[in-house]
Amino acid sequence: MDRVPVPRDLKDFSRFFSDAGHRVYLVGGAVRDHFLGKRAGDWDVATDARPEQVMAIFPRVIPTGIEHGTVTIPFRGRAIECTTFRVESDYTDGRRPDSVRYEATIEEDLSRRDFTMNAIAVSLPDGAVIDPYGGRTDVKLRVIRAVGDPRTRFAEDGLRPLRAIRFSALPGFAIDTDTLSAIRPSLGVTERVAPERVREELVKLLSSPEPLTAFRYMEETGLMELILPELSACRGVEQKGRHRHDVLDHLLLTCSACPREVTELMLAGLLHDIGKPAVRATGDDGVITFHGHEIASAKIARSVMTRLKFPNRTIARVVHLVEQHMFHYESSWTDAAVRRFVVRVGVDEIEPLFALRAADSFAISGVRGEPHGIDELRRRISGILEARHAFSLGDLAVNGTDLAGIGITPGPTTGIVLRELLSAVLDDPELNDKDRLLDIALAFVRDRGLAN
Ligand code: ATP
Ligand code: MG
């Protein structure tokens, strides 16, 4: 029997199980990654010990998915996910198994896993490989193949088609023909999958090395139309001008040129022009325009991400980047214009916005590197930041209490006046002085007839 080397920590971990009379196996992505020659990410293990038995073995266990027999065990700085062998029966809704039966063998456990490359186990601590479905060969061939009949397996869980596509974003991987052709007939099942699960796979897809491959499969199988119809609507929307690609190809290329490690940027790349079909117009001169497309795109980005139950912070960040992506820097910008840009974009989002611009411009021109003018803008921004001028209401030399002192009643007027003062200070930083600001404030409320 083939054996693989087992890391020291895993051997020691497995001893806790054997001492209690149980078996434990390394399974899932870590085993697949080993045969891909990659360093494994997280460790997932499978055991015949039931969750309550695992909890008795280890002093501290987190019941992360106890209803599916999964607990997380903190061990030497890692979080090891531990699932009791199980066979799931009766998927009536294509979402989750109705019940989970615990079974005694690793082979049965492997039979419920999705793809052959994910259905290999390594026995601990000895390293013996259990590979009933030829997973190692498929890893070598870079083939994503369902365990058993793909139609049946996809009917059990509609997330699996998306998982197959997510794994195709690994370098060199392709989906086996039978498995691929089972995706379209299963879309009705996929439609009922919980949005959170779809989102999780989408995020993993975006952080994988070759998302473009996955997006091509998504379009070809109809999965894109199902989960991201707004994106499908960008197919065939021609742009002319500088653009060689239609809007969909432009979005996919921009996304795949963004830094993988920042999910929000990948999403902003994918969605930044998604409002273009809605605002496309042809002028009398025959020129195609997309006026206000960043606003339309931001709106659609928000609705797509809300539907997929992204966290609010992620949505806000992506929407902001989409909204701001249309800046046109020129050397003739005044310092006040640069300061306003900094305030509008926010100091922390300037570099991400530049990265989005670089990806956007690469998708148009095919030329890597930073577009013209960005570095000049960056240098001007850092000069301005070093000068430590006021960039937010909190940086002003006056506050609400000071305004109250000159008779401006605390309330909505206070905010209006402070924003006006910030605007003045952005134009001329020298004005950020208490006396001068109070003078401006008085003049402002008088001119506007605001309650004083
Ligand atoms: P990654 O390294 O990207 O996390 P992974 O293979 O570990 O990839 P997980 O989502 O963490 O993916 O799942 C762990 C394992 O659980 C998989 O390798 C697979 O064996 C099994 N699995 C996960 N989801 C399903 C599913 N929907 N149907 C069947 N088996 C699944
Ligand atoms: Mg995993």
Side-chain angles (χ1 to χ4, degrees):
M1 185 178 275
D2 291 341
R3 282 178 202 280
V4 296
V6 174
R8 176 68 182 268
D9 280 352
L10 260 183
K11 279 190 182 161
D12 294 348
F13 174 77
S14 73
R15 216 144 279 139
F16 285 87
F17 287 85
S18 49
D19 288 352
H22 290 291
R23 305 294 333 259
V24 65
Y25 299 82
L26 186 65
V27 289
V31 181
R32 178 189 71 233
D33 289 347
H34 168 81
F35 289 111
L36 276 171
K38 283 202 304 184
R39 260 184 65 106
D42 297 337
W43 282 339
D44 293 321
V45 299
T47 178
D48 59 353
R50 286 163 176 273
E52 62 276 13
Q53 293 172 315
V54 176
M55 288 174 158
I57 297 175
F58 292 90
R60 205 159 71 81
V61 163
I62 307 151
T64 36
I66 194 96
E67 67 281 16
H68 312 115
T70 304
V71 297
T72 300
I73 306 170
F75 188 77
R76 296 188 187 163
R78 291 171 178 270
I80 301 179
E81 212 168 82
C82 176
T83 306
T84 304
F85 297 156
R86 64 188 190 193
V87 170
E88 289 153 358
S89 45
D90 304 330
Y91 294 77
T92 42
D93 62 356
R95 283 161 162 252
R96 301 264 184 204
D98 295 343
S99 60
V100 175
R101 266 188 310 125
Y102 296 122
E103 293 291 329
T105 73
I106 182 71
E107 283 78 10
E108 276 192 281
D109 181 86
L110 293 177
S111 74
R112 73 161 177 96
R113 294 180 181 267
D114 47 8
F115 306 109
T116 58
M117 63 183 192
N118 291 342
I120 315 169
V122 169
S123 165
L124 301 176
D126 53 298
V129 179
I130 300 143
D131 180 17
Y133 302 101
R136 275 171 302 179
T137 310
D138 284 342
V139 168
K140 211 174 283 166
L141 297 172
R142 307 279 191 272
V143 174
I144 300 153
R145 190 192 314 273
V147 169
D149 172 51
R151 288 283 286 270
T152 314
R153 302 311 310 287
F154 291 173
E156 287 168 357
D157 181 357
L159 187 69
R160 288 174 188 156
L162 180 57
R163 284 179 58 84
I165 286 175
R166 184 263 269 197
F167 288 118
S168 77
L170 295 174
F173 272 85
I175 304 177
D176 157 71
T177 359
D178 284 346
T179 301
L180 184 62
S181 57
I183 294 183
R184 193 176 278 280
S186 311
L187 292 179
V189 191
T190 302
E191 196 176 358
R192 296 197 298 273
V193 171
E196 293 84 350
R197 298 180 75 207
V198 171
R199 181 202 64 220
E200 256 174 51
E201 293 301 326
L202 201 59
V203 166
K204 286 195 173 182
L205 186 166
L206 290 174
S207 61
S208 300
E210 294 176 8
L212 258 186
T213 312
F215 281 120
R216 300 271 177 247
Y217 275 128
M218 268 179 118
E219 195 183 8
E220 173 191 333
T221 55
L223 198 70
M224 184 185 284
E225 174 77 49
L226 182 73
I227 62 175
L228 295 166
E230 301 87 345
L231 204 54
S232 292
C234 297
R235 173 57 79 216
V237 180
E238 299 298 337
Q239 320 196 60
K240 306 276 163 32
R242 296 181 306 145
H243 285 271
R244 287 170 296 138
H245 303 290
D246 68 3
V247 176
L248 179 57
D249 278 334
H250 174 68
L251 290 174
L252 300 183
L253 285 169
T254 304
C255 170
S256 69
C258 283
R260 299 282 177 281
E261 55 291 352
V262 191
T263 303
E264 288 95 334
L265 255 179
M266 297 288 290
L267 285 163
L270 187 67
L271 304 172
H272 75 283
D273 282 346
I274 202 162
K276 276 190 168 178
V279 299
R280 187 177 191 273
T282 313
D284 296 339
D285 49 5
V287 175
I288 297 168
T289 61
F290 297 99
H291 291 307
H293 78 265
E294 66 276 28
I295 302 302
S297 300
K299 212 170 141 200
I300 297 178
R302 179 181 298 283
S303 101
V304 169
M305 294 179 69
T306 305
R307 183 177 71 228
L308 290 173
K309 301 255 191 314
F310 275 90
N312 287 337
R313 280 185 52 194
T314 312
I315 299 178
R317 190 168 182 212
V318 173
V319 166
H320 178 65
L321 288 168
V322 170
E323 241 164 29
Q324 297 300 328
H325 85 270
M326 285 296 286
F327 66 96
H328 298 290
Y329 174 73
E330 284 172 17
S331 303
S332 59
W333 276 21
T334 59
D335 283 352
V338 175
R339 281 191 290 271
R340 287 183 190 285
F341 174 81
V342 172
V343 171
R344 192 166 65 239
V345 174
V347 174
D348 293 343
E349 295 304 333
I350 288 170
E351 282 307 323
L353 190 65
F354 288 171
L356 176 61
R357 168 58 59 86
D360 190 359
S361 120
F362 168 72
I364 296 171
S365 66
V367 180
R368 287 249 179 230
E370 208 149 64
H372 182 72
I374 294 291
D375 201 48
E376 182 181 299
L377 177 55
R378 176 183 291 117
R379 272 184 278 114
R380 287 185 67 184
I381 290 172
S382 55
I384 276 170
L385 290 176
E386 272 166 28
R388 300 191 156 276
H389 294 315
F391 282 103
S392 68
L393 299 184
D395 298 335
L396 289 173
V398 297
N399 58 24
T401 315
D402 299 323
L403 293 183
I406 56 164
I408 298 172
T409 340
T413 311
T414 311
I416 297 171
V417 175
L418 285 173
R419 276 192 291 279
E420 175 65 19
L421 295 179
L422 178 61
S423 170
V425 167
L426 288 172
D427 277 337
D428 179 3
E430 296 295 315
L431 296 178
N432 198 16
D433 164 89
K434 189 166 174 184
D435 290 341
R436 296 177 82 168
L437 290 183
L438 291 179
D439 285 346
I440 298 173
L442 278 173
F444 179 71
V445 289
R446 206 178 309 126
D447 289 354
R448 292 293 174 93
L450 292 170
N452 187 4

